[in-house]
Amino acid sequence: MSDSEAGGPDADSPPKLPPQVFLVAVLMVLFGVGDRISFKLSVDCVSNYVFFLNQLTMLVYVVAFFVPVVAAGQLCGPWASRKYLLKYAVMGCLDGICTLVVVLSAPYVPGPLQIVFMQGVVPTTMIASYFLLRKRYSWSHVAGAATILGGIVLSALHSGQSDSKKGSHVLWYLLFLSFNIPASLSSVYKESVFRAADTELPLNVVNFWVSCWQFVITIAYSPLVVPIQNLTWGQLPTNFGKGAACVFAHHDGGLSDTCTWYSTVTIVVFFVCTVSWNYACLYLIKNGSALLMFVSSTASIPLASLGFAVPFIVRGSCTPRANVTWEVCVAVVVVIVGLVLYNRVPETMAEDKVEAR
């Protein structure tokens, strides 16, 4: 009698994942750490040109996703109809708000605190999903979300450091933390679109069109960005030109940015890590599981938080070396515990069908 017939180990066990999936999970951890650290180092190096850096990042995303879409012959199809292009525009609008909030406030928020604040997307997504997707949550989900919020509050209360030459302020902390609202709305809207879609939506196609819309929409946000960057509308093209000269030609334009090879290398590393991290995330969702993707993402939190305390990582940058205090360590542990609690049991959906409008 076989093991499956006898109810042995192969009867109800899920199929084993191929080794390359776990390799990608490990790479996702490494790219996640690199993405979080290099992002903070980059915006500190070119703090006077963060809007330029934001638009340059969007262009990198467009090109990175355009290549596989063209290679697969997916540029045209039912997924590129007017109906879906409008939905991609909504996604790009929400993602654009999220990106701008992070890029503008990042120079004023310490690196380790940024990483903890980013985990606030879990409770905000939970609230949005409850009302918009009619998801139902157990005590484990509620306890996990509450624990994550507790870790964020603990980190904010005990963060007495300031790693910005301009000084951190509570309003910048709140602005950075607010990015979780458009981020959660974007993820919930994307889920609703995938659920209601009447055709297959290739992930690279979705990312390509969302990146295109995000690039266009963030330009439309420029009137809001100009005063925050202490610029006038007429100075914005000049600021872009000086930003390009800073990154690629190492001319500081008379400002206090670190326009050296260090800033260029840091920004390139950020581009490589952020694109690779997104590809790894999509690969794990498609070929592994959401839980495996969550574990890989969570594993990068303590590593990235402690990375700012490593001397050679911050050497030559405008980001001072962070002090590893017990408050930071406890806050990171609390956030990880909250994430583990949240993912102990799967989410359930109400039977009502939710349509993406």
Side-chain angles (χ1 to χ4, degrees):
M1 184 181 299
S2 65
D3 287 339
S4 59
E5 292 174 343
D10 295 333
D12 299 315
S13 60
K16 293 184 178 180
L17 296 174
Q20 58 265 31
V21 173
F22 292 99
L23 175 60
V24 173
V26 174
L27 291 175
M28 182 178 175
V29 174
L30 299 178
F31 285 128
V33 173
D35 172 63
R36 288 160 173 80
I37 294 178
S38 59
F39 169 74
K40 174 60 177 173
L41 298 179
S42 298
V43 296
D44 282 355
C45 284
V46 293
S47 58
N48 290 296
Y49 309 115
V50 291
F51 188 54
F52 163 77
L53 179 62
N54 175 72
Q55 295 306 106
L56 183 60
T57 304
M58 293 302 100
L59 279 178
V60 170
Y61 268 113
V62 170
V63 174
F65 288 113
F66 176 75
V67 172
V69 167
V70 172
Q74 297 175 328
L75 192 59
C76 299
W79 47 76
S81 64
R82 182 176 180 273
K83 177 179 70 172
Y84 287 110
L85 289 177
L86 291 176
K87 295 181 186 299
Y88 301 151
V90 175
M91 299 176 192
C93 180
L94 292 172
D95 288 348
I97 295 174
C98 177
T99 303
L100 280 177
V101 168
V102 171
V103 169
L104 291 175
S105 57
Y108 307 93
V109 182
L113 195 58
Q114 288 184 19
I115 296 168
V116 176
F117 278 0
M118 287 180 175
Q119 308 314 308
V121 74
V122 174
T124 53
T125 301
M126 178 180 173
I127 295 173
S129 297
Y130 179 85
F131 288 104
L132 300 180
L133 294 181
R134 301 182 184 275
K135 284 190 175 181
R136 297 299 177 258
Y137 299 94
S138 69
W139 68 269
S140 182
H141 295 128
V142 176
T147 304
I148 292 170
L149 288 176
I152 293 173
V153 172
L154 177 65
S155 181
L157 291 178
H158 292 281
S159 181
Q161 57 181 328
S162 174
D163 65 348
S164 172
K165 58 182 178 293
K166 299 178 182 178
S168 296
H169 191 274
V170 65
L171 292 179
W172 290 111
Y173 285 15
L174 293 175
L175 178 62
F176 188 94
L177 189 60
S178 69
F179 104 94
N180 291 299
I181 298 176
S184 61
L185 290 176
S186 176
S187 64
V188 170
Y189 182 74
K190 289 173 183 174
E191 183 175 349
S192 68
V193 170
F194 276 114
R195 289 177 58 204
D198 53 9
T199 185
E200 175 70 18
L201 299 178
L203 294 177
N204 279 329
V205 171
V206 175
N207 278 314
F208 165 68
W209 284 110
V210 171
S211 298
C212 290
W213 281 111
Q214 192 173 350
F215 176 77
V216 173
I217 290 172
T218 49
I219 292 179
Y221 294 156
S222 55
L224 301 176
V225 178
V226 167
I228 297 178
Q229 288 281 282
N230 296 320
L231 300 170
T232 63
W233 180 256
Q235 293 174 325
L236 192 59
T238 303
N239 182 265
F240 270 48
K242 289 182 177 180
C246 175
V247 174
F248 301 112
H250 310 139
H251 297 313
D252 61 9
L255 300 176
S256 57
D257 294 273
T258 305
C259 301
T260 63
W261 277 106
Y262 178 90
S263 59
T264 302
V265 171
T266 301
I267 291 172
V268 171
V269 170
F270 166 63
F271 290 157
V272 172
C273 289
T274 190
V275 172
S276 300
W277 185 86
N278 275 277
Y279 270 114
C281 185
L282 295 176
Y283 182 91
L284 290 183
I285 292 175
K286 181 178 180 180
N287 300 286
S289 67
L291 179 59
L292 181 59
M293 187 271 291
F294 147 74
V295 172
S296 302
S297 179
T298 303
S300 66
I301 297 174
L303 295 176
S305 297
L306 298 177
F308 290 102
V310 179
F312 79 87
I313 291 180
V314 298
R315 185 180 294 123
S317 71
C318 296
T319 306
R321 180 183 176 186
N323 295 320
V324 183
T325 63
W326 70 268
E327 292 92 351
V328 172
C329 294
V330 170
V332 171
V333 171
V334 169
V335 169
I336 293 176
V337 170
L339 288 168
V340 172
L341 280 174
Y342 185 89
N343 283 269
R344 283 185 68 250
V345 295
E347 301 168 352
T348 58
M349 305 290 297
E351 293 183 357
D352 298 339
K353 183 177 180 180
V354 180
E355 295 184 355
R357 302 188 182 277

